[in-house]
Amino acid sequence: MKKVAIVGAGIVGATAAYYLSKEADIEVTVFDHGYGQATKAAAGIISPWFSKRRNKAWYKMARLGADFYVDLLADLEKSGQKVDFYQRSGVLLLKKDDSKLEELYDLALQRRDESPLIGELAILDQATTSNLFPGLEGFERLLYASGGARVDGQLIVSRLLEASQVKVIKKEVSLKPLSSGYQIGNQMFDQVILSTGAWLGHMLEPLGYEVDVRPQKGQLRDYQVPQDMGAYPVVMPEGEWDLIPFPGGKLSLGATHENDMGFDLTVDEKLLLQMEEAASLYYPSLKGAMISGERVGIRAYTSNFSPFFGLVPNLSEVYTASGLGSSGLTTGPIIGYHLAQMLQGRSGVLDPADYPTERYIKEKQS
């Protein structure tokens, strides 16, 4: 029996745990310190097709990551698990410059050939939009894609860990290389996945590595509204915030993108109020909605905003992934799946050479 440790139970770690738990000859233990996790603070939007980022490797990962949800949902349903964390309810894109809508429409139309998941595309006026999202205003036209989806970050992690039935140990740990294998806590492991997000440097720097990953703070506010918003599309205006509706009258607004805050997890009421003021121009009902809570998480970014995954350089059988930024719920599941495959000597649709760990993890020069 091969013993595998996964450090970090966010979207990458939880997906890897789920797929590794299907293997009869692997015993998986998950370690998670339980605070600051980006996934638990996230209400994710799966809609990568409108990105104009020039990084082709990133777009390939994001596009295939959106597609991968189809397989993930099917796998979880086969194992009897609920898939209530995901719904393809569509996405509405707002732009201050109306001409950009035509550009995005043409871009998405081209990309739909390789990503049929985009679904129906249309530029809608306000009257037509009110049938999809009543009460939305402050625009003349917007772009609609029926294939856009929303994901509840905390719920998907819970469902994946429930389905995997792995042991989860809630504690902060370190990694100690041995002559054969690795020690984490008081246990020995043959293989390790470090899916610690922005905390990757905390794990590897004591072992003599420099890690190009920085933290970014993100805050999100949840509201409770009278109507069930389960069929409402996600709203994505220009800027940092989005409106993410959920069944049962839950509406999430977020998220902030705060650099130079380190690992600070305190709620900043002023910033949340600024975000609410901006969002209320498009959805005035937000002003009177009941606030049901706030969430704060720490995203991980590399200096060139690209994610990476694969083996840690010169650390045999230790795998990692980080730098997912604000697209973690889009790219995290497919990365977690690929890490699970790599541990078993298998390959997938992504080539790790396009997302090289050695570009971001380097041994310190003595």
Side-chain angles (χ1 to χ4, degrees):
M1 179 74 73
K2 187 162 60 176
K3 296 187 71 176
V4 174
I6 298 175
V7 184
I11 187 62
V12 173
T15 308
Y18 170 67
Y19 281 103
L20 287 171
S21 71
K22 292 170 166 285
E23 305 297 326
D25 59 341
I26 295 177
E27 179 185 302
V28 180
T29 303
V30 175
F31 297 88
D32 189 86
H33 58 41
Y35 59 87
Q37 186 190 101
T39 307
K40 286 184 180 177
I45 301 168
I46 312 300
S47 180
W49 314 289
F50 304 96
S51 173
K52 288 189 171 182
R53 285 177 65 171
R54 294 179 183 176
N55 186 329
K56 290 182 179 178
W58 176 86
Y59 178 69
K60 180 181 180 182
M61 176 186 280
R63 172 178 68 82
L64 293 173
D67 291 349
F68 180 71
Y69 268 94
V70 176
D71 297 329
L72 178 63
L73 295 172
D75 289 340
L76 282 166
E77 284 183 319
K78 277 182 203 168
S79 59
Q81 187 55 258
K82 290 182 185 176
V83 292
D84 49 352
F85 53 82
Y86 175 96
Q87 186 167 6
R88 210 179 303 160
S89 55
V91 62
L92 302 171
L93 283 88
L94 292 155
K95 293 294 177 185
K96 292 173 185 173
D97 181 353
D98 203 47
S99 66
K100 289 184 179 178
L101 294 178
E102 307 284 354
E103 291 176 24
L104 285 175
Y105 177 86
D106 290 340
L107 178 67
L109 209 56
Q110 294 167 26
R111 288 175 167 175
R112 192 166 62 177
D113 290 339
E114 62 181 3
S115 295
L117 206 64
I118 292 175
E120 176 194 345
L121 287 165
I123 294 178
L124 308 178
D125 59 20
Q126 188 169 322
T128 309
T129 303
S130 65
N131 296 322
L132 296 170
F133 201 119
L136 201 65
E137 59 180 57
F139 62 94
E140 290 185 8
R141 302 190 307 162
L142 49 66
L143 178 58
Y144 169 69
S146 65
R150 60 166 178 259
V151 177
D152 184 316
Q154 188 162 2
L155 194 54
I156 184 175
V157 164
S158 297
R159 297 296 184 226
L160 286 165
L161 293 176
E162 285 169 15
S164 64
Q165 297 184 322
V166 296
K167 185 178 182 181
V168 180
I169 298 173
K170 293 283 186 183
K171 66 182 290 190
E172 194 164 355
V173 294
S174 58
L175 178 68
K176 182 180 178 182
L178 305 173
S179 56
S180 176
Y182 296 88
Q183 181 177 338
I184 298 176
N186 58 1
Q187 299 184 56
M188 310 301 168
F189 296 93
D190 304 300
Q191 294 175 305
V192 178
I193 293 176
L194 300 178
S195 49
T196 51
W199 283 266
L200 184 60
H202 294 190
M203 296 295 300
L204 291 177
E205 283 162 10
L207 300 179
Y209 289 91
E210 293 176 339
V211 180
D212 175 13
V213 172
R214 63 175 174 85
Q216 185 193 74
K217 181 180 179 181
Q219 300 180 73
L220 180 148
R221 173 162 272 171
D222 293 319
Y223 298 82
Q224 190 65 36
V225 298
Q227 65 272 35
D228 190 314
M229 306 188 88
Y232 286 34
V234 170
V235 180
M236 296 179 67
E238 282 185 301
E240 292 187 344
W241 65 269
D242 302 299
L243 277 173
I244 308 104
F246 289 92
K250 177 184 171 183
L251 180 63
S252 296
L253 172 66
T256 63
H257 292 71
E258 301 167 57
N259 298 308
D260 306 316
M261 296 295 291
F263 293 88
D264 173 37
L265 293 170
T266 55
V267 172
D268 187 329
E269 182 66 30
K270 184 180 176 182
L271 279 179
L272 290 173
L273 190 59
Q274 288 174 1
M275 194 163 59
E276 182 182 293
E277 289 285 343
S280 297
L281 297 174
Y282 296 98
Y283 191 57
S285 299
L286 198 64
K287 280 282 189 182
M290 184 181 74
I291 297 169
S292 58
E294 292 82 26
R295 287 177 273 162
V296 185
I298 306 294
R299 305 181 190 92
Y301 278 95
T302 59
S303 57
N304 67 350
F305 303 97
S306 290
F308 61 87
F309 73 93
L311 277 164
V312 174
N314 299 320
L315 212 53
S316 175
E317 297 298 337
V318 177
Y319 300 78
T320 191
S322 190
L324 279 62
S326 57
S327 62
L329 282 172
T330 301
T331 59
I334 196 168
I335 291 174
Y337 171 79
H338 274 68
L339 287 175
Q341 296 300 299
M342 290 177 77
L343 260 70
Q344 300 168 81
R346 303 172 190 159
S347 58
V349 293
L350 295 176
D351 184 351
D354 292 333
Y355 315 92
T357 55
E358 60 269 19
R359 185 179 295 166
Y360 308 98
I361 303 172
K362 301 181 188 299
E363 292 181 273
K364 293 176 185 174
Q365 300 300 312
S366 54

